[in-house]
Structure formats: structure tokens, C-alpha cells
Amino acid sequence: MTVIFLYTVLFDAYSISAFCNAGFDLIGIRTPFSSLTSYSVQPIVNLVIMVLIVVGGIGFLTWEDIKNHKWHLKKYRMQSKVIFMVTGLLIFLPALYFFYFEFSNVPLMERVWVSLFQSVTPRTAGFNTADLTLLSEVGQMLIIILMLIGGSPGSTAGGMKTTTLAVLVSSALSVFRKKEHTHFFGRRIPDDTIKNAATVFLMYIVLFLVGGMVISSTEDIPLMTALFETASAIGTVGLSLGITPDLGLVSHIILICLMFLGRVGGLTLIFATLSEKKLNGSKYPQEKITVG
């Protein structure tokens, strides 16, 4: 009876952690960094955890659309449509890669579950059902990218957000197509939104790279391993290749700062630290500069 109670409490905690995209690993107490690897072939565990991660990561405004409009997708906010599209792609495409290139030696059903789970969890739940240290560098880099992107605005997830990626990609496509404006689903995106997206992206990339290079140099560890830790920190994910407890004080401070900055959010940090300037009618003379 006691064992049943303990497992009930344990999986209640996992459910909360999954929905809140927290990534606290209680099962890892038995075997360090094991996470949910013992349940890689359990459909119910995999499905429930993945659904909770996605539900917590798509944002409460999106759930308001689902509540109000049900299956009438045309009535949804443009933001909700973008979130659905990007979330679906970021689950499906990485899962295909993991299925064909990373877990090809795993039995079919387990291969399906571990591929799906490893594509969902970096966004930003922090559980794993496979040993991440056994992934190729390409596989680890893909997880790093997913951790940096994270979930959606107004959700429990961290990262630079799916909408930030969507705006930047759409902006690039509008340049390639020589379109004057960036748009989604017949709606134009304001220029200020594109600037904010570029600022958030640059901030995350700089902090992630600089932090990883400093940790790699300080601890004398491979750069990819250090970048995995910094991406997990700034994305507030919780995944690790197992080196975190052995890092020194400087590296721990860097990871703590990255976790704080990632949780506060890019735009919140920028707007809080920079004083608002009063607008005036004067502008500097305009001159073109060649880029690219």
C-alpha cells in the first residue's frame, strides 16, 4: 500500500512538472539522470506526459480560442494558428529525424515512442526516455535548437518562443519573395514585432554561445557538451548530459544567471532595464548600409 501511495505521489509530481514545463526529475534519485528511461515503452506514461507538455506549452490564449471556437479554426486568433502550425512542425520533423537516424537500432514500437518523446520534451519539459549522451552530435544539436525555441507565449514553457521563430522565418521569406510586409494567414505583422523578435533571438543566441564558450574553456570540456547545458539553462528546460554536478563555481553561477534570464523573458528584461525615452520629432539623416 505504501509503495502504491509513493508511486501515486511520484507521478502526480511528474504530471505537474510536465504541465508546468518544470523538468524536475524525481525518478533520477534512484539512478542519476535516468529520468523516464525505464518507461520508454510504456504508451500511457509517454502519451500522458507528452500531452501535458504540449498542453502547458501552447499558451492560455490558445486554449481560450479552443474553448470559445472549438473546431472552427477560421475564428481563431492569427497567433493561435501560428502556434499550432509551428508546434506541429517542431514535433513532427524532429521525430522523423530521431526515428530514422538516432534510434534505428531500437525495436519498432519503442523507436516510435522515444522518437516522439525526444522531439516533445526539449520544449521545455526536461524529461527524457533515452540516454542523451548516446545521441550523435547532430542529434544533440537538434535538441539544443528545440530547447532554445521552447514553447509559446503566455504558456508555462520557456525559450525564445515559437512565435519568435515564426516571425523571423516569415520575415526572411518576405525578403526572398520581395514582399513589402511580413504576414500570416492574411494578417500583416507590425514592424515593431519583427524588431522585437530579432532582439530576443539575438539575446538568446549571444547568451547561449558566450556562456557555453566560457564553461567549455573554464572546465576543459567539449564545446558541444557545454552548449547543451547553457541551452538547457536559458531555455529553462532541465535536460543535461550529466556534467552539471561536476562543474565549478563559475560555471554554476553562469547557469544560474542564464536560468534567471530565461525565466524572466527577453522582452521583459529589455523593457525593465532600459528607460523609456520621450519621442521627439527629430530623426538622424538616413543612409543605406549593405548587409549580407
Side-chain angles (χ1 to χ4, degrees), residues 59-70 77:
F60 295 105
L61 287 177
T62 303
W63 278 107
E64 184 182 39
D65 271 341
I66 295 173
K67 175 187 174 184
N68 293 336
H69 305 302
K70 303 298 187 294
R77 296 179 179 90

Side-chain angles (χ1 to χ4, degrees), residues 56-59 62 83 87 123 149-158 161-163:
I58 62 174
T62 303
I83 288 172
T87 299
R123 323 265 320 287
I149 296 170
S152 302
S155 72
T156 60
K161 303 298 184 294
T162 54
T163 48

Side-chain angles (χ1 to χ4, degrees), residues 3-252:
V3 174
I4 295 175
F5 174 76
L6 289 176
Y7 269 92
T8 301
V9 172
L10 183 64
F11 279 102
D12 281 345
Y14 259 88
S15 297
I16 295 170
S17 185
F19 177 77
C20 294
N21 284 246
F24 288 108
D25 178 18
L26 300 180
I27 296 179
I29 294 173
R30 297 184 305 184
T31 304
F33 305 104
S34 62
S35 191
L36 293 171
T37 52
S38 300
Y39 300 90
S40 60
V41 292
Q42 297 293 329
I44 294 178
V45 174
N46 279 266
L47 190 60
V48 169
I49 296 296
M50 285 192 292
V51 168
L52 287 172
I53 293 169
V54 174
V55 167
I58 62 174
F60 295 105
L61 287 177
T62 303
W63 278 107
E64 184 182 39
D65 271 341
I66 295 173
K67 175 187 174 184
N68 293 336
H69 305 302
K70 303 298 187 294
W71 298 104
H72 302 288
L73 296 179
K74 291 183 178 180
K75 296 182 179 179
Y76 282 29
R77 296 179 179 90
M78 177 265 290
Q79 175 172 304
S80 297
K81 296 176 184 177
V82 171
I83 288 172
F84 280 131
M85 178 183 68
V86 177
T87 299
L89 288 174
L90 291 179
I91 292 174
F92 180 70
L93 295 180
L96 279 181
Y97 169 80
F98 289 131
F99 184 85
Y100 285 107
F101 298 104
E102 295 293 341
F103 304 118
S104 57
N105 59 340
V106 176
L108 181 59
M109 286 311 299
E110 182 179 1
R111 188 177 173 187
V112 171
W113 286 117
V114 295
S115 299
L116 278 172
F117 198 94
Q118 264 54 239
S119 68
V120 171
T121 190
R123 323 265 320 287
T124 52
F127 306 133
N128 56 284
T129 57
D131 188 347
L132 301 181
T133 61
L134 299 180
L135 295 180
S136 67
E137 286 194 346
V138 176
Q140 291 178 359
M141 191 67 213
L142 180 56
I143 289 182
I144 286 174
I145 294 171
L146 293 174
M147 289 193 294
L148 288 173
I149 296 170
S152 302
S155 72
T156 60
M160 68 177 72
K161 303 298 184 294
T162 54
T163 48
T164 301
L165 173 68
V167 168
L168 291 176
V169 171
S170 182
S171 177
L173 290 176
S174 67
V175 173
F176 294 148
R177 296 174 179 175
K178 296 184 179 181
K179 301 290 185 181
E180 184 178 359
H181 300 293
T182 299
H183 56 84
F184 292 111
F185 301 103
R187 295 291 186 271
R188 181 168 53 88
I189 305 299
D191 291 339
D192 286 345
T193 301
I194 300 173
K195 292 178 183 178
N196 290 341
T199 302
V200 170
F201 175 79
L202 182 62
M203 187 191 78
Y204 270 80
I205 293 299
V206 169
L207 291 174
F208 149 72
L209 288 176
V210 172
M213 288 188 290
V214 172
I215 290 177
S216 176
S217 177
T218 303
E219 304 291 339
D220 193 23
I221 59 176
L223 180 60
M224 179 65 73
T225 304
L227 290 177
F228 194 98
E229 300 297 313
T230 54
S232 181
I234 198 168
T236 64
V237 183
L239 290 176
S240 175
L241 296 180
I243 67 168
T244 311
D246 300 322
L247 297 177
L249 177 62
V250 173
S251 299
H252 280 152

